[in-house]
Amino acid sequence: MPTPRPRRSPAWTPARLGVYGFLIVAALFFLLPLYVMLVTSVKPMEEIRLGTLFALPQHLTLEPWVQAWSSACTGLECGGIRSGFWNSVAIVVPSTILSIAIGAVNGYALSFWRPRGAGLLFAILMMGAFIPVQVMIYPLVRVLASVNLFSSLPGIIIIHTIFGMPVMTLLFRNYYAALPMELFKAARIDGGGFWRIFLQLMLPMSTPVIVVAVIMQVTGIWNDFLLGLVFAGSEHLPMTVQLNNIINTTTGERLYNVNMAATILTSIVPLALYFISGRWFVRGIASGAVKG
Amino acid sequence: MTQKRQSVSFAAYIAMVPMALTVLLAYLGTMLWTARVSVSSSRTFPASDFVGASQYIRLFNNERWLLSLQNVALYGVLFIAACLVIGFLLAVFIDQKVMAEGALRTIFLYPYAMSFVATGLIWQWILNPELGIQEVLHKLGWTSAKFDWIVDQDMAIYTIVIATVWQASGLVMALMLSGLRGVDDEIWKAARIDGIPRWRVYTSIVLPMLKPSVSTAFVLLFVMVVKVFDAVVAMTQGGPGTASEVPAKFIMDYLFGRANIGLASAASIVLLLTVLAIVAPLYFVRNRRAAMGA
């Protein structure tokens, strides 16, 4: 039986101070970029030109945020990053739903039904998680082009579903494997079929794992750059790609304040998810890590 | 009964269709296709001739490719070592029953929630020689301070290490911390009775017990190293010149920018073989250990 660690109130020994010293310095290092980003995004350009990176703004302005959102130039167009935001939403929502739905069905079939050959498919799928995407990108471009889905919203959604499948399948398989087999057998005796057992019994029990899956997929797909760059097409470029365009293709003076506001805007969704979900996010990482 | 059983398992087979298609077409099919193209003379369009290993020979005579390999090796060693060391230290220090543990964990892990592009852009700004840290040091009176790595041929790759270590070491911390929390308290009691200093317990007893966390972290970090692309594009675009070129970016450039898919395919196959050579043994060892433990 695990006993709780003895609660001694630790004295302020030099070792203790050292522990806090290390942690405080480390915390400052980790917070520094966030601080710089925030301060830069509310400074007018005149203050930025002074080269006082860490200074607080003298004249606070929200203008950079407005520009980043609605008028910064992402390449040739100057409509701000807002279209990218909505593109990302349009990509993330269906991709997340589809990849979770397929992962759940896969995991369920693998754990309870075990159709012949499925074990082998799953083993290859797991290896697929380690294949560098560069190996697959060009052939996939050609396959999608041949069915007229390249550079389209459905195209990028299919791509995210394909690349999300290993981890999603593993996640649900592990979850269902921990459920008692008797439950499934009882449902079989009651005459439940493949889909009925899934929809009425397994799915309602899957809320915790679905939460983890949603966090993993929303974060992962929102933060994707490479796949969006190749497969989404200019009409549907996700926010990450537009952000990179804003910052790396501008001509003339670089508007660092606008750039930083755009960077924060792009990071808001995954950061909010992280701050709200906390422990679930960590659990998601740990489950994703199992794929090793 | 038999009738019903058959119809039911039919549904299970139908449910497996997306996975089967993904495995056969998207994974195995593309791998074979790329392997095939890598031994053809393909340039802008895939050709169906056979030229043996000549794309591979060209590849390994390509200075940019060799540079990218050298970079990714250097980057990989530094990135993995730094993440493991920093992540482990953070986990150990957080594990000392400190105040505000939750807040500290949140601070160390939040960069991991952000994209590599965003991370790269933030650091590009901080390391900017005209307005970033270097300028701050100059303003403080240290006028000879030099911190222009990001535009320095020899140092650019290190800036990518800094940015990505900042992003990923919290992940290692989270993994290690869950490992540390699994260490039996009896060990601590026994060590205290025997008068063994804490740091000795950590290095000689606890660290070996964390092997599963370390190997998980290693595999995750290794996969990130092979994939490193977004951060490079965002920070240096492979520059200055080709100084911070990496294989993933080399391949993308030759596939889409320079229309040389034969060469790019050869490069991706080399990348694939490298990954398999390193990950497969780890995977095998772990499965064996799991099988023996069961």
Side-chain angles (χ1 to χ4, degrees), chain A residues 124-132 136 166-167 291, chain B residues 27 223 227:
Chain A
I124 304 175
L125 190 74
M126 284 298 100
M127 271 173 41
F130 294 108
I131 303 176
M136 309 189 241
V167 181
K291 79 179 176 187
Chain B
Y27 292 171
V223 172
K227 277 191 191 158

Side-chain angles (χ1 to χ4, degrees), chain A:
Chain A
M1 207 182 90
T3 47
R5 294 185 185 188
R7 272 195 86 73
R8 292 175 299 124
S9 57
W12 286 102
T13 57
R16 204 70 198 149
L17 289 174
V19 167
Y20 280 107
F22 175 84
L23 285 172
I24 289 168
V25 171
L28 288 179
F29 171 72
F30 277 82
L31 285 173
L32 180 85
L34 189 65
Y35 168 76
V36 169
M37 217 174 16
L38 280 169
V39 210
T40 307
S41 75
V42 290
K43 276 181 194 171
M45 271 313 286
E46 300 87 72
E47 277 181 44
I48 290 172
R49 279 188 219 106
L50 298 175
T52 46
L53 188 68
F54 302 117
L56 285 167
Q58 307 285 312
H59 304 280
L60 197 90
T61 166
L62 286 179
E63 184 56 24
W65 285 71
V66 177
Q67 271 191 45
W69 180 250
S70 54
S71 68
C73 298
T74 62
L76 293 175
E77 277 173 59
C78 294
I81 204 157
R82 95 188 122 173
S83 70
F85 178 86
W86 295 114
N87 288 344
S88 282
V89 171
I91 292 170
V92 165
V93 173
S95 304
T96 301
I97 295 172
L98 192 61
S99 61
I100 291 178
I102 292 181
V105 170
N106 285 351
Y108 160 70
L110 283 164
S111 309
F112 296 112
W113 296 88
R114 300 179 192 151
R116 192 175 306 169
L120 180 66
L121 281 180
F122 179 64
I124 304 175
L125 190 74
M126 284 298 100
M127 271 173 41
F130 294 108
I131 303 176
V133 280
Q134 281 77 10
V135 177
M136 309 189 241
I137 276 185
Y138 196 79
L140 285 176
V141 167
R142 293 188 61 91
V143 170
L144 286 184
S146 70
V147 290
N148 279 324
L149 285 175
F150 180 58
S151 283
S152 73
L153 199 54
I156 180 74
I157 292 166
I158 291 172
I159 290 294
H160 278 304
T161 307
I162 286 175
F163 284 107
M165 206 181 291
V167 181
M168 288 298 108
T169 302
L170 182 75
L171 189 66
F172 280 93
R173 195 198 73 135
N174 289 351
Y175 183 78
Y176 290 134
L179 293 181
M181 196 67 182
E182 284 69 35
L183 202 72
F184 172 73
K185 284 187 179 145
R188 289 286 292 142
I189 290 164
D190 287 348
F194 183 89
W195 293 110
R196 220 176 126 213
I197 295 178
F198 177 68
L199 293 172
Q200 294 189 352
L201 180 68
M202 298 303 171
L203 215 49
M205 292 174 67
S206 309
T207 318
V209 69
I210 290 175
V211 171
V212 170
V214 167
I215 292 168
M216 285 174 75
Q217 287 302 84
V218 170
T219 319
I221 298 170
W222 190 276
N223 284 342
D224 158 70
F225 175 75
L226 180 62
L227 299 175
L229 181 70
V230 176
F231 290 96
S234 51
E235 303 269 296
H236 311 283
L237 285 182
M239 210 175 183
T240 46
V241 178
Q242 290 206 351
L243 171 69
N244 188 57
N245 288 348
I246 285 186
I247 290 176
N248 280 327
T249 61
T250 40
T251 46
E253 190 189 35
R254 298 181 114 197
L255 302 169
Y256 294 104
N257 48 4
V258 176
N259 291 354
M260 284 303 111
T263 311
I264 301 173
L265 283 169
T266 309
S267 308
I268 273 181
V269 168
L271 279 179
L273 200 60
Y274 168 62
F275 286 121
I276 294 166
S277 70
R279 209 154 282 168
W280 293 92
F281 184 89
V282 178
R283 201 175 299 178
I285 299 174
S287 332
V290 182
K291 79 179 176 187

